[in-house]
Amino acid sequence: MHEKERHRVILSAVQDRPVVTVADLCNLTDASEATIRRDIATLDAERKLKRVRGGAEALNPPQFVGLAGRPFAINETMRTREKQAIARAAVEICEDGESIIINGGTTTFQMVHPLASRRMQVFTNSFPIAEHLLKHSKNTVMLSGGVIYREQNIILSPFENDVTRNFYARRVFMGAQGLGPLGLMEADPLLIQAEEKLIGQADELIVLVDSSKFENRSSLVLCPLNRITTVITDESISDSAAAMLEAADVNLIVAESGAAQEEDAAAS
């Protein structure tokens, strides 16, 4: 990530939360701690943010606290081919006329393109997914109610009795911050609360994650492995990750994106 792009991400992050730590910014930008500290010092000198111990804050801290994790706009540019292949495989297991739930995320968003030729009932908490399907498909679309979190382009409700409880689906499609032996992991308690409700409204939980997510960890566990019906990932999944899923009796679908073969060709 170039310096200007890192600065844009840093400034976006401090506008989204009262204080952002150096560790948070390292995760958001994939940059080293030393690089992030230099960036903070530069932006502080330019009076674009305030340098504080262990991180940075906005000159005018936000009144409304956002969610932890990378913004949608940043995640959308990462591992695009893998996400597209995973999304195609996800739609292939659906049948016209079905009711499905699609949780917001950049991998699940890629489902909108193969869904363009389908006729299904889709419930989602993602504003971009709903908007795209309304414009470019004949699927029936239902949105959850609540607050729109701009950075993640997701709608979350703090109330237990929201419209989610009135929708039943055969399958719920969901991404994740990470996937490991303890189960599906997320970065924010609000996401955990909302996604638990979605999982409860479907018979099957289909997890869409690129192979890098098997290396990611978070302090929050959404659900154990044995709650997951199917994991759809790309061909770079490690043998150990595949064995972990097999041991938990989780169905594994590997979507061929071609990205791994290109990397091997470039290395040889």
Side-chain angles (χ1 to χ4, degrees):
M1 191 178 291
H2 297 299
E3 182 181 73
K4 286 185 178 179
E5 190 175 358
R6 286 199 314 273
H7 287 187
R8 181 171 62 84
V9 172
I10 291 169
L11 291 173
S12 173
V14 298
Q15 290 298 328
D16 196 40
R17 279 166 266 169
V19 177
V20 183
T21 66
V22 171
D24 287 337
L25 295 172
C26 288
N27 289 332
L28 286 172
T29 61
D30 289 327
S32 68
E33 186 174 313
T35 298
I36 291 300
R37 291 188 185 278
R38 285 196 301 271
D39 288 340
I40 290 174
T42 299
L43 293 169
D44 179 78
E46 295 174 355
R47 299 186 61 79
K48 293 181 178 178
L49 54 69
K50 183 179 179 181
R51 185 179 183 180
V52 297
R53 183 178 178 84
E57 67 178 14
L59 296 178
N60 299 298
Q63 300 297 311
F64 181 74
V65 179
L67 300 174
R70 282 194 187 99
F72 185 93
I74 301 299
N75 268 340
E76 194 175 19
T77 65
M78 303 174 70
R79 296 179 172 266
T80 304
R81 288 183 61 179
E82 289 91 336
K83 291 175 180 178
Q84 290 171 344
I86 291 166
R88 284 195 300 270
V91 175
E92 284 174 4
I93 67 176
C94 298
E95 297 177 6
D96 282 351
E98 279 187 349
S99 297
I100 62 172
I101 298 171
I102 307 179
N103 188 50
T106 55
T107 305
T108 52
F109 175 76
Q110 292 297 332
M111 291 177 68
V112 300
H113 305 300
L115 278 172
S117 60
R118 297 298 193 96
R119 288 177 178 264
M120 306 179 69
Q121 296 179 18
V122 180
F123 181 93
T124 185
N125 58 5
S126 166
F127 196 77
I129 289 174
E131 182 181 35
H132 192 97
L133 290 177
L134 284 171
K135 288 182 178 178
H136 304 289
S137 82
K138 294 186 178 180
N139 294 282
T140 301
V141 181
M142 182 182 292
L143 265 173
S144 63
V147 177
I148 299 176
Y149 288 77
R150 289 181 176 85
E151 290 293 307
Q152 279 78 19
N153 275 332
I154 198 168
I155 304 167
L156 300 181
S157 170
F159 306 112
E160 280 296 317
N161 60 342
D162 63 31
V163 69
T164 304
R165 299 297 190 192
N166 300 110
F167 191 88
Y168 161 76
R170 180 178 176 185
R171 301 182 179 95
V172 55
F173 295 89
M174 188 169 289
Q177 176 79 8
L179 184 59
L182 291 179
L184 204 59
M185 288 168 278
E186 273 296 359
D188 194 285
L190 282 176
L191 287 174
I192 293 283
Q193 181 184 20
E195 290 170 358
E196 282 178 340
K197 285 192 288 186
L198 293 179
I199 291 172
Q201 298 305 115
D203 294 331
E204 300 177 15
L205 170 56
I206 314 298
V207 175
L208 280 57
V209 287
D210 67 72
S211 54
S212 70
K213 297 298 180 70
F214 291 97
E215 307 301 323
N216 289 357
R217 295 293 180 265
S218 175
S219 60
L220 301 174
V221 178
L222 171 59
C223 69
L225 281 179
N226 60 15
R227 177 59 182 89
I228 301 171
T229 307
T230 300
V231 168
I232 306 178
T233 189
D234 60 79
E235 66 268 40
S236 294
I237 182 175
S238 66
D239 291 340
S240 60
M244 174 187 72
L245 297 176
E246 184 180 1
D249 200 26
V250 176
N251 182 39
L252 173 64
I253 297 176
V254 176
E256 299 290 336
S257 68
Q261 291 88 332
E262 284 192 5
E263 288 179 7
D264 291 341
S268 59

